[in-house]
Protein backbone atom coordinates (compact mmCIF):
# COMPACT_ATOMS: atom_id res chain seq x y z
CA UNK A 1 0.00 0.00 0.00
CA UNK A 2 1.26 3.47 -0.90
CA UNK A 3 1.78 5.72 2.14
CA UNK A 4 0.42 8.79 0.38
CA UNK A 5 -2.74 6.90 -0.59
CA UNK A 6 -3.11 5.62 2.99
CA UNK A 7 -2.90 9.11 4.49
CA UNK A 8 -5.08 10.79 1.88
CA UNK A 9 -7.72 8.08 2.27
CA UNK A 10 -7.82 7.83 6.06
CA UNK A 11 -6.20 11.06 7.25
CA UNK A 12 -9.42 12.96 7.91
CA UNK A 13 -11.01 9.90 9.56
CA UNK A 14 -8.10 9.38 11.96
CA UNK A 15 -7.82 13.10 12.68
CA UNK A 16 -11.50 13.29 13.67
CA UNK A 17 -11.13 10.21 15.86
CA UNK A 18 -8.13 11.82 17.56
CA UNK A 19 -10.04 15.09 17.88
CA UNK A 20 -12.96 13.40 19.63
CA UNK A 21 -10.54 11.77 22.09
CA UNK A 22 -8.38 14.81 22.78
CA UNK A 23 -10.88 17.64 22.14
CA UNK A 24 -7.91 19.68 20.95
CA UNK A 25 -7.18 20.13 17.21
CA UNK A 26 -3.44 20.63 17.75
CA UNK A 27 -3.14 17.51 19.89
CA UNK A 28 -5.30 15.68 17.33
CA UNK A 29 -2.88 16.52 14.52
CA UNK A 30 0.02 15.15 16.56
CA UNK A 31 -1.93 12.01 17.49
CA UNK A 32 -2.96 11.40 13.89
CA UNK A 33 0.62 11.84 12.69
CA UNK A 34 1.92 9.41 15.31
CA UNK A 35 -0.81 6.97 14.32
CA UNK A 36 0.29 6.88 10.69
CA UNK A 37 3.96 6.64 11.63
CA UNK A 38 3.19 3.63 13.84
CA UNK A 39 0.82 2.17 11.25
CA UNK A 40 3.38 2.32 8.47
CA UNK A 41 5.96 0.72 10.74
CA UNK A 42 3.53 -2.16 11.39
CA UNK A 43 1.83 -2.29 7.99
CA UNK A 44 3.05 -5.85 7.48
CA UNK A 45 0.99 -7.02 10.47
CA UNK A 46 -2.30 -5.90 8.91
CA UNK A 47 -3.98 -9.17 7.96
CA UNK A 48 -7.33 -7.86 6.78
CA UNK A 49 -7.34 -4.70 4.70
CA UNK A 50 -11.11 -4.41 5.23
CA UNK A 51 -10.45 -3.81 8.94
CA UNK A 52 -8.02 -0.95 8.40
CA UNK A 53 -10.20 1.67 10.11
CA UNK A 54 -10.48 -0.40 13.29
CA UNK A 55 -6.73 -1.06 13.14
CA UNK A 56 -5.94 2.65 12.82
CA UNK A 57 -8.38 3.48 15.64
CA UNK A 58 -6.63 1.00 17.94
CA UNK A 59 -3.22 2.50 17.21
CA UNK A 60 -4.55 6.03 17.72
CA UNK A 61 -6.26 5.12 20.99
CA UNK A 62 -3.11 3.52 22.36
CA UNK A 63 -1.13 6.65 21.47
CA UNK A 64 -3.78 8.76 23.19
CA UNK A 65 -3.54 6.71 26.39
CA UNK A 66 0.25 6.96 26.32
CA UNK A 67 -0.04 10.74 26.21
CA UNK A 68 -2.51 10.66 29.09
CA UNK A 69 -0.18 8.54 31.19
CA UNK A 70 2.72 10.83 30.37
CA UNK A 71 0.68 13.81 31.53
CA UNK A 72 -0.50 11.95 34.65
CA UNK A 73 -4.07 12.25 33.42
CA UNK A 74 -4.65 8.51 33.41
CA UNK A 75 -4.19 8.14 37.15
CA UNK A 76 -7.42 9.92 38.05
CA UNK A 77 -10.47 7.99 39.20
CA UNK A 78 -11.70 7.12 35.74
CA UNK A 79 -14.75 4.96 36.13
CA UNK A 80 -16.09 6.34 39.39
CA UNK A 81 -17.74 3.25 40.91
CA UNK A 82 -18.38 0.42 38.43
CA UNK A 83 -21.33 -0.93 40.43
CA UNK A 84 -22.97 2.50 40.51
CA UNK A 85 -22.35 3.00 36.81
CA UNK A 86 -24.07 -0.29 36.02
CA UNK A 87 -27.01 0.66 38.24
CA UNK A 88 -27.33 3.98 36.40
CA UNK A 89 -27.67 2.19 33.05
CA UNK A 90 -31.47 2.47 33.21
CA UNK A 91 -31.21 6.28 33.50
CA UNK A 92 -29.48 6.54 30.13
CA UNK A 93 -31.76 8.09 27.49
CA UNK A 94 -31.02 7.47 23.82
CA UNK A 95 -32.66 8.09 20.45
CA UNK A 96 -34.04 11.50 21.30
CA UNK A 97 -36.26 13.15 18.68
CA UNK A 98 -35.16 16.35 17.00
CA UNK A 99 -35.94 19.38 19.17
CA UNK A 100 -39.20 21.11 18.30
CA UNK A 101 -37.34 24.36 17.89
CA UNK A 102 -34.16 23.54 16.03
CA UNK A 103 -31.05 25.21 17.37
CA UNK A 104 -30.04 27.76 14.76
CA UNK A 105 -26.44 28.87 14.94
CA UNK A 106 -25.00 31.65 12.82
CA UNK A 107 -22.14 30.56 10.59
CA UNK A 108 -19.99 33.31 12.10
CA UNK A 109 -20.08 31.68 15.53
CA UNK A 110 -20.23 28.02 14.45
CA UNK A 111 -16.52 27.36 14.95
CA UNK A 112 -16.56 29.10 18.32
CA UNK A 113 -19.60 27.12 19.43
CA UNK A 114 -17.97 23.86 18.37
CA UNK A 115 -14.76 24.86 20.14
CA UNK A 116 -16.68 25.70 23.30
CA UNK A 117 -18.40 22.32 23.21
CA UNK A 118 -15.11 20.46 22.82
CA UNK A 119 -13.65 22.47 25.70
CA UNK A 120 -16.50 21.37 27.95
CA UNK A 121 -16.11 17.74 26.88
CA UNK A 122 -12.50 17.98 28.07
CA UNK A 123 -13.88 18.78 31.52
CA UNK A 124 -15.50 15.36 31.79
CA UNK A 125 -13.59 12.60 33.55
CA UNK A 126 -11.36 10.81 31.07
CA UNK A 127 -13.58 7.77 30.59
CA UNK A 128 -16.77 9.82 30.49
CA UNK A 129 -15.09 11.76 27.69
CA UNK A 130 -14.02 8.60 25.88
CA UNK A 131 -17.48 7.02 26.13
CA UNK A 132 -19.31 10.19 25.11
CA UNK A 133 -16.93 11.18 22.33
CA UNK A 134 -16.71 7.77 20.70
CA UNK A 135 -20.36 6.73 21.01
CA UNK A 136 -22.26 9.99 20.66
CA UNK A 137 -19.89 12.11 18.60
CA UNK A 138 -17.94 9.57 16.55
CA UNK A 139 -20.67 6.99 16.10
CA UNK A 140 -19.08 3.81 17.44
CA UNK A 141 -21.40 1.28 19.04
CA UNK A 142 -21.73 0.75 22.78
CA UNK A 143 -20.25 -2.71 22.31
CA UNK A 144 -17.19 -1.34 20.50
CA UNK A 145 -16.54 1.34 23.11
CA UNK A 146 -17.12 -1.06 26.00
CA UNK A 147 -14.41 -3.27 24.54
CA UNK A 148 -12.07 -0.30 24.00
CA UNK A 149 -12.44 0.88 27.60
CA UNK A 150 -12.52 -2.62 29.06
CA UNK A 151 -15.78 -2.43 31.03
CA UNK A 152 -19.30 -3.78 30.62
CA UNK A 153 -21.86 -2.31 28.25
CA UNK A 154 -23.99 -1.40 31.28
CA UNK A 155 -21.13 0.55 32.85
CA UNK A 156 -20.49 2.33 29.55
CA UNK A 157 -24.13 3.42 29.52
CA UNK A 158 -23.60 4.71 33.05
CA UNK A 159 -20.62 6.74 31.86
CA UNK A 160 -22.72 8.16 29.03
CA UNK A 161 -25.50 9.07 31.44
CA UNK A 162 -23.08 10.98 33.65
CA UNK A 163 -21.46 12.67 30.66
CA UNK A 164 -24.87 13.80 29.39
CA UNK A 165 -25.93 15.10 32.78
CA UNK A 166 -22.67 16.98 33.31
CA UNK A 167 -22.81 18.66 29.90
CA UNK A 168 -26.54 19.38 30.13
CA UNK A 169 -26.24 20.92 33.59
CA UNK A 170 -23.46 23.25 32.48
CA UNK A 171 -24.95 24.41 29.18
CA UNK A 172 -28.47 24.75 30.58
CA UNK A 173 -27.19 27.37 33.03
CA UNK A 174 -24.60 29.11 30.87
CA UNK A 175 -25.27 28.82 27.15
CA UNK A 176 -27.23 31.62 25.48
CA UNK A 177 -27.92 29.38 22.47
CA UNK A 178 -30.02 27.07 24.64
CA UNK A 179 -31.69 29.82 26.67
CA UNK A 180 -31.60 33.51 25.77
CA UNK A 181 -31.66 34.34 29.48
CA UNK A 182 -28.31 32.65 30.07
CA UNK A 183 -25.30 34.95 30.49
CA UNK A 184 -22.85 33.49 27.96
CA UNK A 185 -23.27 34.14 24.26
CA UNK A 186 -20.74 33.40 21.56
CA UNK A 187 -20.54 37.06 20.55
CA UNK A 188 -19.98 38.13 24.16
CA UNK A 189 -17.27 35.48 24.50
CA UNK A 190 -15.51 36.80 21.41
CA UNK A 191 -15.28 40.23 23.03
CA UNK A 192 -14.33 38.76 26.40
CA UNK A 193 -11.56 36.59 24.96
CA UNK A 194 -9.88 39.59 23.36
CA UNK A 195 -8.65 40.56 26.81
CA UNK A 196 -5.79 38.27 27.78
CA UNK A 197 -6.17 39.18 31.45
CA UNK A 198 -9.74 37.86 31.44
CA UNK A 199 -8.60 34.54 30.01
CA UNK A 200 -5.80 34.18 32.55
CA UNK A 201 -8.12 34.94 35.48
CA UNK A 202 -10.67 32.38 34.33
CA UNK A 203 -8.39 29.67 32.98
CA UNK A 204 -8.72 27.63 36.19
CA UNK A 205 -12.47 27.33 35.59
CA UNK A 206 -11.78 25.58 32.30
CA UNK A 207 -9.70 22.92 34.09
CA UNK A 208 -12.14 21.85 36.81
CA UNK A 209 -14.21 18.73 36.14
CA UNK A 210 -17.93 19.07 35.54
CA UNK A 211 -20.11 17.59 38.29
CA UNK A 212 -23.87 17.89 37.85
CA UNK A 213 -24.55 16.58 41.38
CA UNK A 214 -23.21 19.80 42.90
CA UNK A 215 -25.87 21.87 41.17
CA UNK A 216 -28.68 19.39 41.91
CA UNK A 217 -29.44 19.26 38.20
CA UNK A 218 -32.21 16.90 37.10
CA UNK A 219 -32.75 15.46 33.64
CA UNK A 220 -34.40 17.87 31.21
CA UNK A 221 -35.52 16.28 27.96
CA UNK A 222 -35.70 19.60 26.11
CA UNK A 223 -32.14 20.57 27.08
CA UNK A 224 -30.86 17.10 26.19
CA UNK A 225 -32.58 17.27 22.82
CA UNK A 226 -31.08 20.66 21.95
CA UNK A 227 -27.56 19.70 22.99
CA UNK A 228 -27.91 16.38 21.18
CA UNK A 229 -28.93 18.31 18.05
CA UNK A 230 -25.93 20.62 18.34
CA UNK A 231 -23.21 17.99 18.61
CA UNK A 232 -24.83 15.58 16.17
CA UNK A 233 -24.66 18.39 13.61
CA UNK A 234 -21.04 19.30 14.24
CA UNK A 235 -19.30 18.84 10.88
CA UNK A 236 -16.20 16.69 10.53
CA UNK A 237 -13.04 18.73 10.62
CA UNK A 238 -9.91 18.38 8.55
CA UNK A 239 -6.33 18.95 9.60
CA UNK A 240 -4.55 21.83 7.94
CA UNK A 241 -3.77 21.21 4.26
CA UNK A 242 -0.03 21.09 4.84
CA UNK A 243 -0.49 18.38 7.48
CA UNK A 244 -1.00 15.64 4.87
CA UNK A 245 2.19 16.50 3.01
CA UNK A 246 4.11 16.85 6.27
CA UNK A 247 3.16 13.36 7.48
CA UNK A 248 4.01 11.79 4.13
CA UNK A 249 7.42 13.50 4.16
CA UNK A 250 8.13 12.42 7.75
CA UNK A 251 7.34 8.77 7.00
CA UNK A 252 9.29 8.85 3.75
CA UNK A 253 12.28 10.24 5.63
CA UNK A 254 11.99 7.75 8.50
CA UNK A 255 11.30 4.53 6.62
CA UNK A 256 11.04 4.64 2.85
CA UNK A 257 14.04 6.72 1.75
CA UNK A 258 16.34 4.70 4.01
CA UNK A 259 15.45 1.40 2.36
Amino acid sequence: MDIELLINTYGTYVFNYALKLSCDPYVAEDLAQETFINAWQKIGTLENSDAIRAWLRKICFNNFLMKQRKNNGYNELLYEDINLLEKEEHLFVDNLPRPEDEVIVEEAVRDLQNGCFLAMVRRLTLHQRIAFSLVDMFGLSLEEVSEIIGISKSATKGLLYRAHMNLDSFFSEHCNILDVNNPCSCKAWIEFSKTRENLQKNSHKLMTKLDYTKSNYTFNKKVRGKINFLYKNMPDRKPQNQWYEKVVNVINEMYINKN
Side-chain angles (χ1 to χ4, degrees):
M1 181 180 291
D2 178 77
I3 184 58
E4 191 167 351
L5 177 62
L6 179 70
I7 293 170
N8 287 334
T9 303
Y10 298 103
T12 300
Y13 179 82
V14 172
F15 171 77
N16 275 279
Y17 184 75
L19 179 61
K20 298 302 187 293
L21 289 171
S22 65
C23 297
D24 184 320
Y26 298 106
V27 173
E29 285 193 354
D30 289 342
L31 277 172
Q33 175 175 307
E34 291 168 11
T35 297
F36 283 108
I37 290 173
N38 296 152
W40 190 252
Q41 187 179 28
K42 302 172 183 176
I43 194 72
T45 66
L46 180 62
E47 298 178 354
N48 181 6
S49 59
D50 293 334
I52 193 166
R53 288 194 174 202
W55 183 64
L56 290 170
R57 288 200 308 266
K58 183 176 182 179
I59 295 172
C60 186
F61 187 78
N62 288 338
N63 286 336
F64 170 71
L65 288 188
M66 286 177 63
K67 280 187 177 293
Q68 291 297 314
R69 292 189 182 104
K70 185 176 180 180
N71 296 329
N72 297 318
Y74 198 71
N75 294 325
E76 62 179 304
L77 187 59
L78 302 177
Y79 306 123
E80 291 94 288
D81 184 299
I82 291 291
N83 291 328
L84 286 177
L85 288 175
E86 291 182 338
K87 288 179 181 178
E88 290 175 353
E89 173 194 11
H90 73 283
L91 299 173
F92 173 68
V93 177
D94 198 9
N95 298 321
L96 287 167
R98 293 167 68 93
E100 294 178 5
D101 49 336
E102 290 188 5
V103 183
I104 306 300
V105 180
E106 295 178 36
E107 193 65 31
V109 299
R110 170 66 72 177
D111 285 344
L112 181 62
Q113 175 249 311
N114 291 346
C116 178
F117 190 81
L118 289 175
M120 292 307 105
V121 174
R122 289 184 69 185
R123 292 178 60 187
L124 300 173
T125 64
L126 182 57
H127 274 68
Q128 284 179 26
R129 186 208 310 179
I130 292 171
F132 173 77
S133 296
L134 298 190
V135 174
D136 281 9
M137 297 180 72
F138 198 73
L140 296 185
S141 68
L142 279 164
E143 290 79 9
E144 287 175 310
V145 176
S146 299
E147 184 177 349
I148 287 171
I149 300 177
I151 58 176
S152 68
K153 180 179 175 181
S154 296
T156 302
K157 281 188 175 182
L159 284 171
L160 281 171
Y161 167 72
R162 293 189 179 189
H164 288 173
M165 291 293 283
N166 281 326
L167 292 170
D168 292 0
S169 65
F170 177 85
F171 283 110
S172 68
E173 296 176 0
H174 295 85
C175 183
N176 183 261
I177 294 175
L178 296 184
D179 186 339
V180 294
N181 296 314
N182 282 335
C184 184
S185 71
C186 292
K187 291 180 179 178
W189 175 251
I190 290 172
E191 292 302 314
F192 174 82
S193 62
K194 289 178 181 177
T195 305
R196 187 172 182 179
E197 183 180 351
N198 282 338
L199 290 176
Q200 290 174 337
K201 285 181 179 179
N202 288 273
S203 61
H204 69 283
K205 295 181 181 179
L206 300 178
M207 302 300 293
T208 56
K209 297 299 180 187
L210 297 176
D211 185 355
Y212 72 93
T213 61
K214 293 181 179 179
S215 62
N216 296 316
Y217 180 79
T218 56
F219 179 77
N220 184 314
K221 188 174 182 179
K222 187 173 183 179
V223 169
R224 176 93 293 269
K226 285 186 175 183
I227 295 177
N228 183 65
F229 179 83
L230 282 173
Y231 68 70
K232 292 289 187 185
N233 285 276
M234 287 176 64
D236 280 346
R237 296 177 63 170
K238 289 185 176 182
Q240 300 178 63
N241 289 333
Q242 61 267 33
W243 177 87
Y244 296 89
E245 183 178 354
K246 175 188 173 185
V247 179
V248 170
N249 289 338
V250 167
I251 294 175
N252 279 332
E253 186 67 28
M254 291 179 68
Y255 300 112
I256 299 175
N257 293 342
K258 290 183 178 181
N259 294 331

